[in-house]
Amino acid sequence: YRALTTLVKEGDLVQGFYWIPTLAGPASIDSPGLSWLIPFTDGAPPVGWPSALAYLVLPVLLVASQWWTMQLNQPKNPDPQQEQANAILK
């Protein structure tokens, strides 16, 4: 973590990666949090809509991939009684 924060402070992580505008991220070490996203000025976040949407794709992909993995890892039970018990527990 310290190595990454040092790289960010030195400005070495300004390159993009796939759709992400910069590897330094939208928040900086000096102003962590959601200050890059809110408050809106003139109906847009401080970093602008294209950059904000590019960064917000990551959490959506994370949740979708975790849900998909959970669906794949659930065992299929041919016993109808067990299926009914599982449906009640969900």
Side-chain angles (χ1 to χ4, degrees):
Y1 179 77
R2 186 171 299 231
L4 284 176
T5 56
T6 303
L7 285 173
V8 169
K9 284 181 183 178
E10 292 174 358
D12 290 337
L13 291 178
V14 294
Q15 304 90 351
F17 183 72
Y18 290 110
W19 68 88
I20 301 171
T22 175
L23 292 176
S28 67
I29 301 296
D30 300 327
S31 63
L34 293 176
S35 62
W36 62 274
L37 187 59
I38 50 178
F40 287 119
T41 54
D42 296 326
V47 296
W49 279 116
S51 292
L53 291 176
Y55 286 115
L56 291 174
V57 166
L58 289 174
V60 171
L61 286 177
L62 176 68
V63 169
S65 66
Q66 286 180 344
W67 177 84
W68 184 62
T69 303
M70 284 177 34
Q71 296 302 316
L72 285 176
N73 289 331
Q74 285 182 351
K76 302 295 181 202
N77 196 347
D79 182 19
Q81 198 171 27
Q82 185 65 35
E83 291 257 348
Q84 189 177 26
N86 287 344
I88 292 171
L89 292 176
K90 282 186 181 180

